[in-house]
Amino acid sequence: MSRALDSMPMHIVVCIKQVPDSAQIRVHPVTNTIMRQGVPAIINPYDLFALEQALRIKDSADARVTVLSMGPFQAEEALKKCLSYGADDAILVTDKSFAGADTLATTYALAAAIRQLDRQHPVDIVFTGKQTIDGDTAQVGPGIAVRLGWQLLTYVSRLREFDAAAKTITVERRAEGGVQVLESRLPCVITMLEDTNEMRFADMAGMFRAERYEVPRWDRSAAGIEDVSRIGLKGSPTVVAQVFAPKPKDVRAVTIEGETPRDKADRLLDRLFADNPALEATLLDHLETVETAK
Ligand code: FAD
C-alpha cells in the first residue's frame, strides 16, 4: 500500500510487553532465564507512557493506535487493558518457536510483525517504552528501528509537534546535562521516558469493547517470518552466564563534625591518616619534591 495515501489516518504502533511483577521475579537456577509461571503479570510500566503519548496524538489527529506484543497467550490480558484505555487494535505475536528469544530474536520478530502491519496500513510511528523492568536492556526499541531502517528517537520526554501531512515530528529528548530538540521525518521509532505523562483511566465503553475484542494471534507465518533460525532460542546468541544480586558495600558514610570548614578538613585528614598510615608519609614526600622543584 502506498504511503502517499494522505487521506488515511496516521497509524501508530505501540509495543507492549507483559512483565512479571518485579517484586516476585524468580530466575531459573540452571538456565538463568526468568521464570514467569505463577508470577502475577503486569504491563511493563514504561510502556504505559508510550501508550498514553500515542493516545494523545490520536486525541488531536486522525490516527489509529495498534498495540503489539510478543509473548505467551496470557499477554492478551495486557493488550486488552490497552484497548480499554483507547487503543483501536491489538495483535499478539505468539508461537512456540519464539520461546527463549533474546533481544536480537525479539526485535527480529517484532520488526517482522510491524512490516506486516505496515503492509495493511502504513505505520507512521512505533512507540516503545525506554526499557522493561524485567529484561531491562533498553535494546528492543533501537533494535526494531535498525531492522526497519527507520529513524530512531530515544529517551523522548515530550512530543512538541507533528505534521501528519509533511510526515515530520519534533520531540524533546532528555540528554546528559540538558534537553535536545530533534526534528525527524516519519516513519520513526520513539522510545518514551518514564514520568512523561499520566495514563488515563479506562472508561466503561472502552472496557466493554476490550472485553468483546478478540485479539488476533499471529504465529510465525502470520508475522511474515520464514527463517526460523532468526527467532527463538535458535536466533539468540546471548548466553546468560550468571544472575546474582550485587553484595551491599560494607563501607558506610561518615559525618565529620567541626566548628569551621578548616576544623572539618583537619579532622578529615586526621581520620584519613589514621586509617592509612602510609598516606601521610607519601603526601609529605610529594610536597617536599614539589617544594624542591620550585
Ligand atoms: P527492553 O529492550 O528493555 O524493552 C524496551 C521496550 O521494547 C519495552 O518497553 C517495550 O515497549 C518493547 N518490548 C520489549 N519486549 C517486547 C515484547 N516481547 N513485545 C512487545 N514489545 C516489547 N523472555 C521470554 O519471555 N521468554 C523466554 O523464553 C526468554 N528467553 C530468553 C533467553 C535468553 C538467552 C535471553 C538473554 C533472554 C530471554 N528472554 C526471554 C528475555 C527476552 O529476551 C527479553 O525479555 C526481550 O528480548 C526484551 O528485552 P528487554 O526485556 O530487555 O526489553
Side-chain angles (χ1 to χ4, degrees):
M1 201 176 278
S2 154
R3 285 193 167 275
L5 296 178
D6 290 337
S7 57
M8 288 186 91
M10 284 180 80
H11 190 191
I12 302 167
V13 173
V14 185
C15 294
I16 299 290
K17 186 178 179 195
Q18 193 184 46
V19 293
D21 201 343
S22 57
Q24 302 185 45
I25 286 179
R26 290 169 302 141
V27 173
H28 193 284
V30 178
T31 59
N32 281 326
T33 52
I34 291 165
M35 293 163 68
R36 288 168 167 76
Q37 290 85 352
V39 180
I42 57 171
I43 297 177
N44 177 46
Y46 292 93
D47 301 355
L48 291 175
F49 299 109
L51 176 61
E52 175 58 29
Q53 184 56 71
L55 293 175
R56 286 184 187 189
I57 296 178
K58 187 187 155 189
D59 291 341
S60 61
D62 191 15
R64 283 194 77 76
V65 174
T66 302
V67 282
L68 170 70
S69 188
M70 182 182 109
F73 291 163
Q74 73 172 95
E76 202 172 282
E77 276 169 44
L79 292 174
K80 285 204 174 227
K81 192 129 205 171
C82 297
L83 290 164
S84 75
Y85 290 133
D88 299 285
D89 295 300
I91 300 289
L92 177 63
V93 176
T94 188
D95 194 309
K96 280 207 171 78
S97 57
F98 295 133
D102 66 5
T103 53
L104 204 66
T106 300
T107 56
Y108 188 84
L110 287 174
I114 293 165
R115 270 188 219 104
Q116 293 289 73
L117 287 169
D118 190 58
R119 276 182 205 113
Q120 294 171 3
H121 178 168
V123 175
D124 297 284
I125 304 175
V126 172
F127 277 106
T128 72
K130 180 189 77 174
Q131 68 196 75
T132 59
I133 58 166
D134 60 345
D136 213 15
T137 65
Q139 291 175 357
V140 169
I144 291 172
V146 169
R147 291 198 183 278
L148 294 173
W150 292 2
Q151 298 297 308
L152 170 65
L153 301 166
T154 53
Y155 299 99
V156 169
S157 54
R158 199 164 85 86
L159 196 152
R160 278 204 178 177
E161 58 189 23
F162 64 90
D163 184 333
K167 300 267 180 205
T168 57
I169 191 165
T170 308
V171 299
E172 290 180 12
R173 175 182 193 269
R174 207 181 291 160
E176 230 168 275
V179 172
Q180 294 175 333
V181 178
L182 303 175
E183 188 184 306
S184 167
R185 62 174 190 274
L186 302 178
C188 70
V189 176
I190 293 179
T191 78
M192 252 345 252
L193 272 184
E194 67 280 16
D195 300 330
T196 44
N197 55 43
E198 201 170 322
M199 190 67 221
R200 64 195 59 196
F201 289 104
D203 62 16
M204 206 51 105
M207 285 192 258
F208 280 128
R209 191 177 155 268
E211 197 49 45
R212 285 194 296 266
Y213 188 100
E214 288 209 11
V215 176
R217 291 177 180 174
W218 283 6
D219 63 8
R220 180 175 65 74
S221 45
I225 296 167
E226 283 168 16
D227 186 354
V228 284
S229 69
R230 308 292 295 273
I231 54 170
L233 207 52
K234 278 189 196 158
S236 301
T238 315
V239 175
V240 182
Q242 198 187 358
V243 177
F244 62 94
K247 275 196 190 146
K249 287 188 179 154
D250 293 337
V251 184
R252 289 202 183 159
V254 177
T255 309
I256 307 283
E257 304 289 351
E259 295 290 312
T260 62
R262 171 116 221 159
D263 269 357
K264 290 182 192 174
D266 286 345
R267 285 182 196 181
L268 175 63
L269 282 177
D270 287 346
R271 199 183 167 104
L272 276 174
F273 294 151
D275 289 347
N276 308 280
L279 185 64
E280 188 169 10
T282 313
L283 275 178
L284 286 173
D285 269 1
H286 181 67
L287 283 175
E288 242 178 65
T289 320
V290 173
E291 281 302 311
T292 321
K294 279 183 186 169

